[in-house]
Amino acid sequence: MNTLRDDGTATEQDAAALRAAMVDQLRAHDELCTAPVIQAFATVPREAFAPGAPLAQVYNRDDVVITKRDENGLATSSVSAPRIQAMMLEQADIQPGMRVLEIGSGGYNAALIAELVGTGGHVTTVDIDPFVTDRATEFLAQTGYTQVRVLRADAEGGVPEHAPFDRIIVTAGAWDIPPAWTEQLAEGGLLVVPLRMRGLTRSVALVREQGRLVSRGYVLCGFVPILGAGANAERLVLLSGEDVALRVDGDQVVDADALRDALSLPQVVRESGVEVGGFESFDELDLFLATALDDFGLLVATPEAIESGLVQRSARMGAKTALAGCSFAYRASQATSDDRTSFKFVVYGHGRDGEAVAEEYVALIREWDRLHRHGPGARIEVFPAGTPDAEIGEGRLIEKNHTRVLISWPSPS
């Protein structure tokens, strides 16, 4: 198959060289680890599933190729970044001969899965959008992966006619886990799903154990939200025109007027005394705060609001925010050296009780630093809705339509 650059001069060798370079980068970042997944990424021509996109973008380990947008310009379908696909497939631990269901069908990931299950396995990929399934069918046929079964359906109900599955991999952001996914997963099987929990998304590998799902690990990720019956939109609470807003779950109750007033009051600044290295990830702190705080959201702002000093730069990507009635506080990081090799956490409080909220926030940062920074991470368990409290352990319980999600933080052994 010929692969063209924008100037029409690229060859298959160009694509192969970029593919090999992408694999090397993914391995260097420990995102590709096992031989079968490495071989799958080295084999499947990613450019065939993103026609028209520049090869440099297609084979950038961190680049998403948008394939469809809605009327507001928001992405509704994409070929996910290679590093995210690699990490999720490593999480899934797919073995030859397995039966795998992919929810969210772009084609490329299904081809990778087909490489992993081999000739004795079965791959079913499903999507609600005919635009997506038609493209997947076409591209899979062009690249020789005709054994992949492509179905158009609302994945809320799974694919019962081809169940049970040893693995279910969800490639769209999910707010909840419908019963069909658990029911169609073989006992001991793995569900890998980008699950949104209090505004944060993690790709969670969940094993089915005695009627519930228990995490085997999770990684930071971002995905286009799932469509259909399982959709659950976030909403923006505007605090200063359209320049500053809070992003919260759709059913979360907040006093917008009180929080707007809080933003107009002088801010309180509290230092945590906790520092991190310039390349040290603190995603675990974010998840810990989202589970430790009673009311939580993400503060977002335009560059103009940040430059004016109304809010700190951390709001550019969504500052993790503690909400408390008419007050709120959020975290920012400040460089502690000219070469930006270390940063300290600083908390900014707003509102009548801004000082108290900021102090609570600082105490939680210190608790994470003391007890969980180098610990085993969170344990995530998913119980069916209606499970009695007596059968659920201690931790932050998040109520959803179909499930009750428990997040707890075991102490280091």
Side-chain angles (χ1 to χ4, degrees):
M1 182 187 67
N2 230 9
T3 303
L4 299 179
R5 282 197 195 113
D6 292 339
D7 62 4
T9 62
T11 65
E12 290 184 17
Q13 288 72 29
D14 293 321
L18 286 172
R19 191 178 313 126
M22 177 191 71
V23 169
D24 289 343
Q25 290 177 349
L26 292 169
R27 294 183 68 181
H29 286 83
D30 293 326
E31 293 153 347
L32 278 180
C33 303
T34 60
V37 185
I38 292 170
Q39 184 59 40
F41 271 80
T43 301
V44 179
R46 182 175 165 87
E47 74 278 5
F49 298 88
L55 281 179
Q57 178 188 12
V58 169
Y59 283 110
N60 185 321
R61 60 172 278 275
D62 202 30
D63 221 335
V64 176
V65 179
I66 305 300
T67 56
K68 186 179 181 182
R69 297 181 184 272
D70 65 14
E71 63 275 9
N72 298 314
L74 298 176
T76 60
S77 181
S78 65
V79 182
S80 300
R83 67 177 187 86
I84 297 296
Q85 293 173 311
M87 290 189 296
M88 290 183 72
L89 290 178
E90 292 288 2
Q91 284 183 295
D93 187 27
I94 297 170
Q95 301 297 318
M98 282 187 168
R99 302 176 65 88
V100 180
L101 171 64
E102 180 196 34
I103 293 173
S105 178
Y108 175 66
N109 202 57
L112 293 171
I113 296 170
E115 288 286 340
L116 294 172
V117 301
T119 56
H122 299 272
V123 182
T124 301
T125 183
V126 61
D127 201 282
I128 196 172
D129 188 341
F131 170 85
V132 175
T133 53
D134 288 349
R135 282 171 57 94
T137 300
E138 177 186 355
F139 299 152
L140 287 164
Q142 289 175 354
T143 50
Y145 294 98
T146 54
Q147 74 272 37
V148 175
R149 183 185 294 112
V150 182
L151 301 177
R152 181 165 68 89
D154 189 335
E156 179 86 354
V159 186
E161 63 271 28
H162 299 294
F165 300 100
D166 302 296
R167 300 289 187 266
I168 298 177
I169 301 177
V170 184
T171 62
W175 181 79
D176 201 357
I177 297 176
W181 297 0
T182 303
E183 293 165 359
Q184 293 171 27
L185 188 65
E187 185 70 19
L190 273 175
L191 166 66
V192 179
V193 54
L195 186 62
R196 197 170 89 231
M197 300 165 287
R198 308 199 88 192
L200 304 182
T201 301
R202 299 292 185 271
S203 173
V204 188
L206 296 157
V207 62
R208 182 177 179 181
E209 292 182 358
Q210 299 177 344
R212 77 186 194 285
L213 300 169
V214 180
S215 64
R216 185 177 284 182
Y218 53 87
V219 295
L220 177 69
C221 68
F223 273 88
V224 172
I226 203 165
L227 301 177
N232 186 282
E234 293 180 319
R235 63 190 176 94
L236 284 177
V237 179
L238 301 180
L239 302 185
S240 180
E242 295 185 353
D243 287 330
V244 182
L246 271 170
R247 220 167 72 207
V248 298
D249 279 338
D251 58 352
Q252 191 171 343
V253 178
V254 296
D255 188 337
D257 290 335
L259 294 175
R260 290 188 195 102
D261 292 341
L263 183 62
S264 68
L265 296 176
Q267 65 184 9
V268 174
V269 183
R270 292 291 181 270
E271 294 200 9
S272 68
V274 176
E275 294 188 13
V276 293
F279 295 100
E280 180 181 354
S281 171
F282 45 88
D283 303 330
E284 290 286 83
L285 171 59
D286 296 339
L287 185 59
F288 175 72
L289 291 168
T291 55
L293 292 164
D294 287 333
D295 210 358
F296 179 83
L298 301 177
L299 186 73
V300 293
T302 62
E304 292 76 17
I306 293 169
E307 292 302 320
S308 73
L310 184 59
V311 294
Q312 299 299 308
R313 192 168 299 276
S314 59
R316 181 181 58 183
M317 300 299 290
K320 286 43 180 194
T321 303
L323 305 173
C326 62
S327 304
F328 67 93
Y330 65 95
R331 188 193 74 243
S333 56
Q334 295 179 356
T336 58
S337 59
D338 292 339
D339 59 3
R340 301 179 71 82
T341 56
S342 64
F343 295 82
K344 62 182 180 181
F345 292 132
V346 181
V347 176
Y348 294 82
H350 291 266
R352 186 182 61 201
D353 300 319
E355 182 174 358
V357 181
E359 292 286 1
E360 178 192 5
Y361 203 127
V362 164
L364 289 172
I365 293 175
R366 292 170 178 165
E367 180 181 342
W368 167 79
D369 181 55
R370 187 175 68 255
L371 298 178
H372 304 295
R373 184 171 182 173
H374 303 294
R379 175 181 170 88
I380 302 170
E381 299 173 79
V382 181
F383 298 85
T387 301
D389 288 352
E391 297 178 17
I392 298 176
E394 296 295 322
R396 171 64 62 181
L397 190 59
I398 305 172
E399 304 286 358
K400 298 179 179 288
N401 294 334
H402 302 300
T403 59
R404 310 184 77 190
V405 178
L406 180 72
I407 307 178
S408 57
W409 290 83
S411 299
S413 55

